[in-house]
Amino acid sequence: MNVAEATLAILAELKRQRAAGKREVFVEEESLFALAKLFGNVVPEQVGMNEVAPKPIQKEVKKPGFAPVTEKVPEVIAFEKKTLSSDFPSLPEIKLPDGDKAYQWSSLKEKVMGCEVCNRELNPQGKVVFGVGDLDADIFFCGEAPGADEEKAGEPFVGPAGELLNRIIEAMGISRDAVYIGNILNWRPRHDQAFGNRPPTKKEMSFCLPYLKAQIKIVKPKVLVALGKTATDGLLGHDPKRRLSDFRGKWNQVMDIPMMVTYHPSYLLHNPSKSSKRKVWDDMLLVMEKLEMKISEKQRAFFNS
Ligand code: URA
Ligand code: URA
């Protein structure tokens, strides 16, 4: 994308936000500097958009014949960051109703779709996103949280990361409908930037975890695959010392189910080197071996040369 295209994209986004009723935008200081540099010698102070609201100034006004009175000068409107919710109740472990998997799954889905907190957290046009797939799947892939495409569609992994995940699944010789795909979070984390995603907070993650665990309990897969750091931290508990580069490619145990940790497809989209792809593929080969799936020589050699 060149500067002109980027500017047009920003303009389109600002217009969209204005149409949606938004009247102020927050711009990081860094971005203002970068923009100022890009467009000549305007210094950020002159741009003047990024100030914190000053305290109302008490200005002395002299009025003839009267003692000086203080007049309130109108307050500068702050470019406020959308505040994040901090009150996430802790959900008890979810009791699944008696019945078959399909019945348990639909009643859980209904619960999630009606979940007050999940709905409260949604973006204006966003939907709550619940897991999809085969309830008898051997493999349960767990991602992080819906992105822009997913919140629109109400389905996990349908954007670019989802397309890559589909290709990984197909390379394993199966199809997307034959696995189960879920996320740690049921909604797209709100943030103030026009583009990109915010990783979920620990509070958001622990709120949603019982919903994910209930899906794992219903599907009872033979293998779980944690896609990326958030999924890993969500399912194994946060460990500040954990580095995915050391941790991936290893088996863990979650709810008595073997869990493979690998990189997130989005990570591959940003780091599309053959060696990153081969690492994820090595991890998928381990999954296939665990499930005693047939592996061809051609499959073994993917991203190898
Ligand atoms: N990334 C995720 O982690 N989950 C999705 O559903 C989409 C993108
Ligand atoms: N770091 C992450 O958080 N996720 C990945 O998939 C890779 C590196």
Side-chain angles (χ1 to χ4, degrees):
M1 200 186 262
N2 62 33
V3 176
E5 286 168 335
T7 311
L8 287 173
I10 292 171
L11 259 180
E13 172 62 16
L14 288 173
K15 280 184 183 163
R16 190 191 64 76
Q17 294 198 12
R18 188 174 61 191
K22 198 159 177 188
R23 288 293 172 267
E24 301 111 26
V25 290
F26 179 86
V27 184
E28 296 283 359
E29 199 118 65
E30 263 176 55
S31 316
L32 283 179
F33 269 104
L35 277 171
K37 240 164 92 185
L38 202 58
F39 291 110
N41 292 323
V42 200
V43 294
E45 286 77 43
Q46 289 169 298
V47 180
M49 276 171 60
N50 204 30
E51 295 143 10
V52 201
K55 290 208 173 70
I57 305 158
Q58 302 292 314
K59 196 164 103 187
E60 258 198 21
V61 185
K62 292 236 194 274
K63 295 210 172 156
F66 293 95
V69 290
T70 47
E71 203 175 73
K72 229 178 169 187
V73 172
E75 224 171 300
V76 176
I77 297 162
F79 289 84
E80 229 185 320
K81 276 207 167 199
K82 209 186 282 161
T83 47
L84 294 183
S85 315
S86 54
D87 56 323
F88 287 96
S90 57
L91 280 181
E93 192 189 330
I94 290 161
K95 272 222 184 84
L96 296 170
D98 288 334
D100 62 7
K101 283 184 170 194
Y103 178 70
Q104 290 182 326
W105 184 84
S106 350
S107 54
L108 179 65
K109 179 170 179 179
E110 201 176 312
K111 201 179 206 138
V112 170
M113 299 321 273
C115 161
E116 207 175 295
V117 171
C118 303
N119 282 281
R120 173 194 83 188
E121 293 302 314
L122 293 179
N123 283 305
Q125 250 93 65
K127 290 184 188 152
V128 175
V129 178
F130 190 64
V132 289
D134 187 345
L135 301 184
D136 292 316
D138 285 343
I139 313 176
F140 187 125
F141 287 93
C142 179
E144 175 172 314
D149 297 299
E150 289 77 19
E151 71 168 353
K152 214 185 282 170
E155 185 173 335
F157 283 102
V158 293
E163 281 167 27
L164 181 50
L165 179 61
N166 291 349
R167 275 192 272 139
I168 293 170
I169 295 168
E170 280 156 21
M172 297 168 82
I174 47 183
S175 75
R176 178 179 166 108
D177 331 327
V179 302
Y180 191 88
I181 304 174
N183 275 317
I184 295 283
L185 227 64
N186 302 325
W187 63 83
R188 180 180 185 212
R190 282 185 281 147
H191 63 79
D192 286 314
Q193 267 80 57
F195 304 100
N197 294 311
R198 167 177 70 75
T201 63
K202 281 186 210 161
K203 279 184 182 168
E204 290 171 327
M205 288 166 67
S206 26
F207 174 79
C208 279
L209 207 56
Y211 288 137
L212 176 70
K213 288 195 166 165
Q215 290 172 79
I216 297 172
K217 222 163 141 184
I218 294 170
V219 178
K220 279 196 198 68
K222 294 195 177 119
V223 169
L224 281 161
V225 178
L227 300 167
K229 179 114 173 38
T230 300
T232 307
D233 286 351
L235 287 163
L236 289 178
H238 184 74
D239 178 355
K241 291 200 290 274
R242 188 179 292 137
R243 295 279 166 272
L244 221 59
S245 48
D246 308 323
F247 204 74
R248 57 145 281 276
K250 294 186 179 77
W251 288 107
N252 294 267
Q253 198 82 1
V254 169
M255 297 164 69
D256 296 324
I257 301 166
M259 181 176 91
M260 176 53 58
V261 171
T262 195
Y263 289 140
H264 193 286
S266 299
Y267 172 82
L268 290 185
L269 291 175
H270 290 109
N271 302 274
S273 69
K274 199 179 258 179
S275 77
S276 308
K277 289 178 192 164
R278 178 64 206 190
K279 281 173 188 159
V280 170
W281 186 240
D282 276 336
D283 303 343
M284 295 307 103
L285 287 173
L286 290 174
V287 168
M288 292 169 76
E289 280 167 6
K290 174 75 93 187
L291 294 171
E292 297 176 2
M293 288 164 69
K294 244 178 84 187
I295 306 174
S296 68
E297 285 313 304
K298 195 174 155 201
Q299 277 173 315
R300 290 221 180 262
F302 283 162
F303 311 114
N304 226 359
S305 49

